[in-house]
Amino acid sequence: MTNRRLRNPLPRRGRTRQITPRAHWLLLSVLVVTLSMALLLQGYTHHMFGITSDSVTGDRGRNDAVPSQVVHGGPVIANAATSAHTARLEARTIALTFDDGPDPVWTPRILDVLRRNHVQATFFVVGTQVVAHPELVRRIVAGGHQIGIHTFTHPDLARLAPWQRSLELRETQLAVAGAAGVTTALLRPPYSSENEALDDADWSVLQQAGAAGYVTVLTTQDAEDWQRPGVHRILANATPHGHAGQVVLMHDAGGDRSQTVAALSVLIPRLKAQGFRFATVGAAVGMAGPVQRAGLGDHLQGLALIKVLQAGDWVVWLLGLLMYAAGAISVLRAVVVLVAARRHRRLRAKGGARSWGPPVTEPVSVIVPAYNESAGIEAAVRSLLASNHPVEIIVVDDGSTDGTADLVESLRLPVRVIRQRNAGKPAALNTGLAAASFDLVVMVDGDTVFEPDTVRTIVQPFADPRVGAVSGNAKVINRGGLLGRWQHIEYVVGFNLDRRLFDLAECMPTVPGAVGAFRRRAVLALGGVSDVTLAEDTDLTMALCRAGWRVVYEEGAKAWTEAPASLNALWRQRYRWCYGTLQAMWKHRGALVQRGPAGKLGRRGLVYLLLFQLLLPLLAPVVDIFGLYGLLFLDPVQVIGLWLAVLLLQFLMGLYAFRLDGERPGPLWSLPLQQFVYRQLMYLVVIQSVFTAVSGSRLRWQRMERYGSLQAPGGAEAPHEDRPPQQPSLTQSAPYEGYPQPVPYDALHQPPPHDGFRQPAPHETPQWY
């Protein structure tokens, strides 16, 4: 198909809103940036560190910088940045502390045990857990327990940069303020233990925290419940030896804490019976209000933080769901297409299912709509004249400004040239239909060349009176370079595999403008080629299917077309194709509820297009985004393995498709690179097309550049991937006998109107191909 601007791409219903693509891309850019920030934040908070065993950090370093009064002092350390001092608990006083929560399963059970025994404890919470379960933080505070912070993501603070330490503490503080409306001065660094275990790196953490106003709470007795050694062992580890006050470390999250709950139910009554009392850390050392009501600013910021992170969790969940959906749709498409292609090939090999009837020998009218096609029109016309089937060639010059019509006339070949004012491709096709002498009509773009047997091959299915149109096999002729190879792969693997499926399912949605054959009377019965969509070929094909005609695929009818040679030209072409297809799908949506051939188009063809050419490209970027997310925050080996599995599936599909088309598989080496550039461009095309359709904007035809790479082949030999086809020496074909020769059109610049065709009015603005 050539790129053109249509006179009236959308039916007008009132005033059409104009939304520029720049606004679309601005919106999309904002969405991408927002999504990226949400994923980075979610990945950092959930996957960079996380709650792990207290023994993971290994041996500590030197402790020369740690003051001796701290090393040998109490577990509560204040003013570490200036004049550090420590505090011990009173004799027979136990401060139960719980790290890593809140947890939706174990924290409520521990709170129930504490409530039954009238004991208050101190909970050092992790920010990500607070965000996930803010209601539990409120319950802790409401029960009279104290809150301390245990960082946001549970990292080893000694291994972080100072700015990252500050971020960990600040974000946790905001989360607590947003969840329960309080702030706390109590801090327990992850992986900390007793005073004697502090090294110089740990001390730098305590100094930075002290400068920020935090009081560090270490431990004197570790229940070691994180090892899940059994209830009796936890009881033994948590029971004081002597009468000294103790800060007991336990956990209410980070794994199965059933042993902790069971041990706690025994420990509290036992120690009470021995004369111990239980208190929060602040009360045990006489601190004046370590937990205060949060200010309005901190509370609002905390609420915002919680909502943002909860939204990030939802986004990641949704992306994961969409990724699985995209993967399932991709696998489904691969299975369906490959099974259909194999069955199509078997039916073709048997011959019986494809015996159309007696050979079709009647002459054919070939219509070539052309606007500024001087670079390739001679090759196109000469290739048609080299056909081994009788043809009448009609070139409809749609107001070209580069001398296309003059060039064709100067060749002095048996070609009818019709000149008309620029009105768009549908009008040019309708002009050609009005002038055609025969019922079988082949439509070919001016940037396409036929092989000698293409016309004869493509009209053979018309021996079956039920066939109204035949799709040929369009191939890329300028397949040099990466962009050419990628389009070549797409034509063979994408378009042609799909056409085999559509042919088998009797729901062909598109006969390409580059190579298609039609019954003239079938098209005329529809009123000619419609101009209400930008994909006139898709619109016409769907209309024929809904009218009860069969549309089939003849892979032996090969045509070589010039593909865009730049990303910009490719973008414009595919944008128009995609948008025009959306228009045609919407126009023919009624086929979904019809019966017979129309129902097959609706419930097979339209559903397939919706799933695999609209929904899948919209979902596919999710796979890429989640893949990057996985490389950064998940298991990169697993992510790369999944990507290679998908690539292998595509490669196997490519091998089979190339084999079916008789192509050498050499270009498939560029398939991995195609995933990073070409595929992304196709995603953006679909996204932009959907934006345009939803917004009600009008997309106009645009002209595609011609590069003069067309050559008229003299035989059926296909060009190799690494070099263009050799141009044979062509002699001017003599006029065929057996059909009327065209009358001179030198003075005829506008064909007579044909009923059902909308001819351009004098006031209409010229449009572009």
Side-chain angles (χ1 to χ4, degrees):
M1 269 186 289
T2 53
N3 281 332
R4 298 160 174 84
R5 251 180 356 194
L6 191 60
R7 170 166 31 83
N8 185 20
L10 283 174
R12 298 186 179 182
R13 294 182 177 89
R15 185 173 181 179
T16 305
R17 292 184 297 121
Q18 295 289 339
I19 298 180
T20 64
R22 185 174 300 175
H24 296 160
W25 293 126
L26 178 61
L27 178 61
L28 183 61
S29 299
V30 171
L31 179 63
V32 169
V33 171
T34 302
L35 179 62
S36 300
M37 294 302 295
L39 290 177
L40 287 173
L41 183 60
Q42 204 275 349
Y44 174 84
T45 56
H46 287 73
H47 302 291
M48 283 295 290
F49 302 105
I51 299 171
T52 55
S53 168
D54 284 354
S55 63
V56 299
T57 56
D59 297 332
R60 294 291 179 175
R62 300 170 61 88
N63 65 347
D64 299 338
V66 184
S68 59
Q69 67 268 26
V70 173
V71 174
H72 303 290
V76 181
I77 305 171
N79 298 326
T82 54
S83 56
H85 64 273
T86 67
R88 298 180 184 275
L89 277 67
E90 297 178 1
R92 293 184 177 277
T93 301
I94 301 295
L96 292 175
T97 63
F98 299 91
D99 288 5
D100 299 346
D103 181 271
V105 175
W106 306 113
T107 300
R109 297 184 185 183
I110 289 174
L111 289 173
D112 289 341
V113 173
L114 297 176
R115 178 180 51 81
R116 287 195 299 268
N117 289 275
H118 307 288
V119 168
Q120 293 178 328
T122 304
F123 290 79
F124 290 93
V125 296
V126 175
T128 54
Q129 294 295 104
V130 173
V131 170
H133 312 289
E135 72 286 351
L136 292 178
V137 182
R138 290 192 289 270
R139 180 178 173 183
I140 291 171
V141 173
H145 307 285
Q146 275 185 348
I147 289 287
I149 66 174
H150 198 46
T151 71
F152 200 78
T153 62
H154 204 273
D156 184 355
L157 292 175
R159 302 174 186 270
L160 300 186
W163 69 267
Q164 202 169 358
R165 299 172 187 169
S166 298
L167 180 65
E168 287 281 335
L169 302 184
R170 175 59 178 166
E171 296 307 296
T172 312
Q173 194 73 261
L174 285 177
V176 172
V182 298
T183 60
T184 178
L186 302 178
L187 165 68
R188 172 170 288 163
Y191 312 108
S192 62
S193 56
E194 301 176 349
N195 295 51
E196 291 82 356
L198 291 173
D199 63 11
D200 293 346
D202 297 328
W203 182 242
S204 69
V205 172
L206 268 61
Q207 286 182 307
Q208 184 176 349
Y214 287 99
V215 175
T216 301
V217 180
L218 302 179
T219 63
T220 58
Q221 196 136 3
D222 186 356
E224 297 185 2
D225 59 338
W226 50 271
Q227 299 189 65
R228 289 191 286 276
V231 175
H232 295 292
R233 188 61 184 168
I234 293 175
L235 283 171
N237 292 335
T239 301
H241 302 286
H243 303 294
Q246 303 291 337
V247 177
V248 179
L249 169 62
M250 305 182 85
H251 297 81
D252 64 330
D256 183 357
R257 298 303 176 213
S258 57
Q259 295 180 6
T260 303
V261 175
L264 195 62
S265 299
V266 177
L267 178 68
I268 295 176
R270 178 185 294 180
L271 292 181
K272 279 187 174 183
Q274 295 177 7
F276 285 90
R277 74 180 184 91
F278 292 87
T280 63
V281 170
V285 299
M287 290 181 64
V291 179
Q292 300 289 331
R293 182 172 296 278
L296 179 61
D298 285 344
H299 180 59
L300 294 178
Q301 290 182 60
L303 286 175
L305 176 65
I306 291 174
K307 295 302 181 183
V308 167
L309 291 178
Q310 288 178 341
D313 292 340
W314 181 84
V315 167
V316 170
W317 174 85
L318 180 60
L319 287 179
L321 182 64
L322 293 177
M323 183 188 70
Y324 285 116
I329 292 175
S330 298
V331 173
L332 177 63
R333 178 185 180 273
V335 171
V336 169
V337 167
L338 289 177
V339 170
R342 182 174 177 82
R343 179 167 175 78
H344 186 271
R345 182 186 183 189
R346 287 180 175 179
L347 290 175
R348 175 58 60 88
K350 289 181 180 179
R354 279 290 184 159
S355 179
W356 304 109
V360 176
T361 59
E362 61 184 277
V364 175
S365 295
V366 181
I367 302 173
V368 186
Y371 174 80
N372 287 354
E373 300 284 3
S374 60
I377 193 66
E378 179 178 357
V381 169
R382 289 188 181 276
S383 74
L384 294 172
L385 288 171
S387 298
N388 56 19
H389 191 93
V391 293
E392 169 195 35
I393 302 174
I394 304 172
V395 175
V396 182
D397 184 82
D398 192 43
S400 297
T401 59
D402 68 344
T404 297
D406 295 335
L407 174 60
V408 176
E409 290 175 342
S410 69
L411 299 176
R412 298 188 177 279
L413 298 173
V415 176
R416 180 183 301 184
V417 178
I418 303 176
R419 301 172 185 260
Q420 71 173 32
R421 188 174 47 190
N422 180 240
K425 183 180 179 182
L429 290 173
N430 287 333
T431 297
L433 285 169
S437 304
F438 307 108
D439 186 53
L440 298 185
V441 174
V442 172
M443 298 180 184
V444 54
D445 288 337
D447 59 351
T448 304
V449 295
F450 276 17
E451 294 185 355
D453 64 346
T454 299
V455 174
R456 178 182 57 80
T457 303
I458 201 172
V459 298
Q460 294 310 306
F462 289 115
D464 185 340
R466 298 173 300 169
V467 174
V470 183
S471 168
N473 186 349
K475 290 181 169 292
V476 175
I477 195 170
N478 53 330
R479 57 181 68 171
L482 278 178
L483 189 59
R485 285 187 175 91
W486 290 340
Q487 292 179 84
H488 172 44
I489 293 173
E490 183 183 29
Y491 271 66
V492 175
V493 180
F495 300 159
N496 289 345
L497 278 183
D498 282 348
R499 289 193 181 102
R500 287 181 169 88
L501 169 64
F502 294 141
D503 189 8
L504 191 67
E506 299 182 11
C507 59
M508 186 77 66
T510 304
V511 172
V515 51
F518 302 86
R519 289 192 191 274
R520 180 173 178 269
R521 56 187 172 88
V523 178
L524 295 182
L526 297 174
V529 181
S530 173
D531 65 354
V532 298
T533 74
L534 293 184
E536 80 291 331
D537 47 6
T538 301
D539 186 8
L540 177 59
T541 307
M542 291 183 177
L544 287 170
C545 289
R546 295 186 69 186
W549 292 98
R550 280 200 63 188
V551 181
V552 300
Y553 174 52
E554 177 52 68
E555 66 262 32
K558 298 177 182 179
W560 299 88
T561 187
E562 191 175 53
S566 68
L567 288 176
N568 184 45
L570 177 65
W571 166 268
R572 294 197 306 269
Q573 182 196 67
R574 298 310 171 85
Y575 181 22
R576 182 180 65 80
W577 284 8
C578 184
Y579 183 72
T581 300
L582 290 177
Q583 289 178 305
M585 290 172 64
W586 180 253
K587 177 181 176 182
H588 296 285
R589 64 191 182 277
L592 289 168
V593 296
Q594 290 182 285
R595 296 182 179 181
K600 293 179 181 179
L601 170 69
R603 289 181 290 278
R604 297 177 186 177
L606 294 186
V607 171
Y608 184 91
L609 292 177
L610 180 65
L611 284 178
F612 302 124
Q613 294 192 19
L614 180 62
L615 183 60
L616 182 58
L618 290 176
L619 291 180
V622 174
V623 178
D624 297 334
I625 293 173
F626 212 82
L628 293 175
Y629 177 84
L631 288 175
L632 291 174
F633 300 112
L634 302 178
D635 183 0
V637 175
Q638 184 179 10
V639 172
I640 293 174
L642 289 174
W643 182 81
L644 290 176
V646 173
L647 185 63
L648 177 61
L649 176 63
Q650 294 176 338
F651 182 74
L652 293 176
M653 285 183 63
L655 283 177
Y656 188 64
F658 270 61
R659 180 184 175 187
L660 289 178
D661 257 27
E663 296 279 356
R664 293 191 296 181
L668 290 176
W669 70 263
S670 65
L671 194 60
L673 295 176
Q674 188 188 44
Q675 308 302 304
F676 294 104
V677 180
Y678 191 84
R679 194 162 61 108
Q680 316 305 321
L681 182 66
M682 296 301 104
Y683 297 161
L684 294 177
V685 164
V686 176
I687 292 171
Q688 174 70 2
S689 299
V690 172
F691 265 118
T692 305
V694 171
S695 67
S697 299
R698 294 176 58 194
L699 180 63
R700 307 174 70 186
W701 291 92
Q702 296 176 341
R703 167 164 172 75
M704 191 182 82
E705 297 178 16
R706 301 297 179 216
Y707 312 100
S709 58
L710 297 178
Q711 297 179 6
E717 181 182 357
H720 299 304
E721 287 82 356
D722 299 327
R723 60 181 175 83
Q726 297 297 318
Q727 179 169 349
S729 58
L730 290 177
T731 59
Q732 178 173 326
S733 302
Y736 282 102
E737 298 180 357
Y739 68 89
Q741 295 302 310
V743 297
Y745 264 70
D746 297 339
L748 184 58
H749 300 290
Q750 193 67 270
H754 187 284
D755 293 339
F757 298 154
R758 183 179 183 277
Q759 298 299 323
H763 64 276
E764 290 179 317
T765 304
Q767 304 297 325
W768 299 85
Y769 275 54

